[in-house]
Amino acid sequence: PLVDQGLHQMVQSVYEELSSQASCDVLTGLLNRQAFERALNQCVSAAMASRHSAVVLYVDLDKFNLINTNYGHLAGDALLKHVAEIVREASPEGAFCGRLGGNEFGMIVSAKGIQEAGEIAEHIRTQVEQTPYHWEDHSLACTVSIGLVQLDLETDDYDAIMRKAGLACESAKAHGQNRVVEYQKQDKDQQKRDEMLVWVQRLDGSLDDLLALRCQEIRPTNTENASSSHWEILLGVVQGSQVLPPGPLIDAAEHFGRMAKVDRWVFHNVLRWMEANPRVVSEAHGFSINLSGNSLNDDKFLEFVLGELAAATINTSKICFEITETAAISNLADASEFIQVLRNKGCKFSLDDFGSGMSSYAYIQKLPVDYIKIDGVFIRNLVNNQKDQALVKSINELAHFMGIETVAEFVENYEILQILKEIGVDHSQGYGIKKPGLLADLR
C-alpha cells in the first residue's frame, strides 16, 4: 500500500531536516551514520504513530579487505561508490540510504512489507554481482550479504532493529555470503548471535559486577594431602545470588574480541587476592591462571602482566599460566617467547588439552612448559577403554622423559583415580577429587 498522508508528511519532514544539516557521507553521498540513525529514529516514531511498519536493510560488502589489500585503498573507495550507487538506484520513493561503516550500508523502507523489501534486497544483491566493476586494467568480482528486518512496532528502537538487521547479515555471511537473509526470531543461529551481543554489552561495562573468581583443586595423584595441592583459577558469572559457569560469556568474548579484557581482569584480581591471603598462598603449591589465545599472542598483554608482577608483592613461583595446546601451536613463535619471558620471572606454565591435536608430540619439544594436562577425552572412559589407557601411559612417559609433570583432568571417580595411580600420572583434577568453589572461600 502507498504511504498514507500522515506518514508521508512525517517522512517528508525527516527529509527536510536531514537536508538542512551536514548529513552526507563524503565518499558516497549517502547519509552518514549519524544522519541514518536520526532518520531511523524518526521513522520508528512515524511508523508507531501511523501503525505502518518499516523494514531495514543491512548491506555488507563481502571480502572487502581483499580489495584494499590487493589493489589499494583507492580501488576500495571506488568500489564503495559503485555499490552505493546501486543501493541508491534500488531505493524506492521515501526510502533513506546511508553508509553505516567502512563497507556497510543501510536502507530504511517505510510502509513496505517484508516481501517487498526482500525483493529490493534481492535486486541489490543481483545488481552488485552482475554489474561489472573495473579498476584500471582489472575486472573485479564483488558480492554483498544483506540482512533485513521488519520493525516490531511494540518493542523495537534504533539499537534493537539495527542489532537484528546486523544479526541477519551475519547469518547471510555465515551461510556462504552473496545472499539475503531475513531476521527470524526463532532462528537458532540468529538467537545465539543475539544472546552473544547481550553478553558483549555486559562485557563492555564493569567486569567487577559481572565476574567472580572460582577455583578447583589439582591434587597429587598418590596422596590425599590437600596441603600440597595446586589450584586452577576458574571464572564465574554473577547472576543475582548465584555464580554460574561462564560458557556463553566466553563464547561471546572470544567471538567479539573481548577475551583480553577478561584475562586482564582475572590476572589483576588473582594477584590482589594472593596478596590479601598470604597464609593460604604459602601453603598451596601454586595457582593456575587460564590465558586465551588472543592474549598469548598480544605484546601489550605481556607488558601488562610484567607490569602487574612488578607492582605485586608475591612469590612468582606460585603463579602458573595455563594455555591450550591449540592456542600455543597457532602461533608457536609468539607463544614460545611469551612463555620464556615469564618463566625467567619465575612463573610456571601448563599446557592444557594435550593430545587433542594431531601434532601434539612434535610440538611439545618446542614449548618449555612445566606441566602437561592430558585431554579429558582420554580420561573419561579410562576404566573401560584400553586404547585410552595406552595413550595416557604414552603421554605420561614422554612428559616424564622430558622432565614435565602430568595432570589428568575429568577425574570423576575412584576407579579412574586408581588407574592413574598405576600409570604414574602426577596430578589429578575433577569432580572425583573436588568440585569447584569460590576463590574467596578458599581458606
Side-chain angles (χ1 to χ4, degrees):
L2 295 174
V3 184
D4 68 12
Q5 188 63 32
L7 181 59
H8 177 77
Q9 291 175 353
M10 291 181 184
V11 170
Q12 197 62 38
S13 70
V14 176
Y15 268 124
E16 292 170 1
E17 179 188 345
L18 292 175
S19 64
S20 66
Q21 302 179 34
S23 58
C24 287
D25 174 62
V26 175
L27 179 66
T28 64
L30 302 181
L31 296 178
N32 58 32
R33 186 181 184 89
Q34 293 75 21
F36 186 86
E37 180 177 347
R38 291 197 300 274
L40 181 53
N41 278 327
Q42 294 189 49
C43 283
V44 168
S45 299
M48 288 180 176
S50 66
R51 308 309 293 176
H52 284 90
S53 189
V55 180
V56 170
L57 282 65
Y58 192 107
V59 182
D60 193 327
L61 189 54
D62 297 326
K63 298 178 181 177
F64 178 67
N65 287 341
L66 290 178
I67 301 294
N68 277 336
T69 301
N70 293 331
Y71 301 100
H73 288 283
L74 289 178
D77 287 349
L79 177 57
L80 290 173
K81 288 192 279 189
H82 170 76
V83 173
E85 189 57 34
I86 291 174
V87 171
R88 191 197 327 269
E89 289 178 354
S91 63
E93 183 180 359
F96 296 93
C97 301
R99 183 182 176 199
L100 306 180
N103 56 299
E104 299 160 342
F105 302 91
M107 183 188 293
I108 309 165
V109 185
S110 297
K112 296 282 185 182
I114 196 73
Q115 183 175 346
E116 294 172 284
E119 291 170 359
I120 295 168
E122 187 60 32
H123 176 71
I124 293 171
R125 186 198 67 77
T126 55
Q127 283 296 104
V128 172
E129 183 182 29
Q130 296 173 6
T131 304
Y133 167 66
H134 300 282
W135 175 253
E136 296 178 343
D137 296 330
H138 305 284
S139 180
L140 307 180
C142 59
T143 61
V144 291
S145 297
I146 304 177
L148 64 157
V149 60
Q150 187 161 29
L151 174 67
D152 185 330
L153 295 176
E154 304 304 322
T155 62
D156 279 343
D157 57 13
Y158 174 82
D159 290 334
I161 198 168
M162 290 306 297
R163 183 175 73 247
K164 291 175 183 178
L167 288 170
C169 185
E170 274 195 48
S171 183
K173 284 187 171 294
H175 287 86
Q177 304 183 342
N178 189 29
R179 64 191 63 218
V180 177
V181 171
E182 177 190 346
Y183 177 83
Q184 299 286 346
K185 193 172 184 180
Q186 301 306 318
D187 184 283
K188 290 184 178 179
D189 288 340
Q190 291 181 11
Q191 272 188 322
K192 183 176 181 181
R193 289 187 179 91
D194 210 355
E195 289 167 3
M196 285 201 293
L197 285 173
V198 173
W199 281 115
V200 168
Q201 290 177 344
R202 298 185 68 186
L203 284 164
D204 286 342
S206 171
L207 297 188
D208 291 334
D209 300 325
L210 177 63
L211 304 179
L213 294 174
R214 301 157 70 231
C215 63
Q216 186 176 29
E217 184 180 357
I218 304 173
R219 187 181 298 172
T221 302
N222 60 359
T223 180
E224 295 184 2
N225 181 8
S227 65
S228 57
S229 289
H230 196 97
W231 297 86
E232 179 182 356
I233 303 298
L234 303 172
L235 200 58
V237 175
V238 177
Q239 195 85 344
S241 60
Q242 294 181 299
V243 177
L244 304 178
L249 177 141
I250 296 295
D251 289 344
E254 289 180 340
H255 187 81
F256 289 100
R258 302 301 197 277
M259 272 311 298
K261 181 180 180 181
V262 173
D263 286 347
R264 286 170 184 251
W265 183 91
V266 170
F267 187 65
H268 174 80
N269 283 281
V270 169
L271 291 192
R272 300 292 79 78
W273 179 88
M274 291 175 72
E275 287 184 317
N277 295 271
R279 182 189 59 78
V280 181
V281 172
S282 66
E283 292 176 357
H285 190 261
F287 297 86
S288 288
I289 302 171
N290 290 279
L291 293 184
S292 66
N294 288 339
S295 295
L296 189 63
N297 300 321
D298 182 355
D299 289 340
K300 291 182 179 178
F301 184 77
L302 178 57
E303 292 175 10
F304 166 78
V305 170
L306 292 173
E308 288 280 309
L309 290 175
T313 57
I314 59 172
N315 181 356
T316 55
S317 68
K318 298 283 186 176
I319 296 174
C320 178
F321 291 100
E322 193 164 303
I323 58 177
T324 65
E325 178 187 327
T326 303
I329 291 173
S330 65
N331 198 329
L332 194 61
D334 284 348
S336 297
E337 181 184 1
F338 187 97
I339 292 170
Q340 200 58 62
V341 168
L342 290 173
R343 286 191 87 202
N344 290 340
K345 295 293 182 180
C347 300
K348 294 182 173 65
F349 275 82
S350 178
L351 190 63
D352 196 8
D353 298 338
F354 186 82
S356 59
M358 295 297 291
S359 304
S360 300
Y361 285 79
Y363 283 109
I364 189 59
Q365 301 177 63
K366 301 176 183 179
L367 292 168
V369 297
D370 304 277
Y371 305 94
I372 284 174
K373 293 188 79 171
I374 304 169
D375 196 315
V377 71
F378 305 123
I379 306 299
R380 288 190 184 96
N381 300 314
L382 202 60
V383 175
N384 302 312
N385 192 318
Q386 291 188 339
K387 289 182 180 179
D388 284 347
Q389 292 180 23
L391 279 167
V392 172
K393 185 176 181 181
S394 171
I395 294 171
N396 192 64
E397 288 176 350
L398 171 66
H400 286 173
F401 177 77
M402 299 182 67
I404 300 171
E405 295 183 39
T406 51
V407 180
E409 51 187 359
F410 290 94
V411 181
E412 305 302 306
N413 55 55
Y414 177 79
E415 289 78 9
I416 292 176
L417 184 61
Q418 288 305 112
I419 294 175
L420 293 172
K421 286 182 179 179
E422 293 171 10
I423 292 174
V425 173
D426 300 303
H427 308 276
S428 298
Q429 179 183 12
Y431 275 45
I433 303 300
K434 193 175 183 67
K435 294 181 180 180
L438 289 174
L439 181 63
D441 294 338
L442 188 59
R443 295 287 185 264

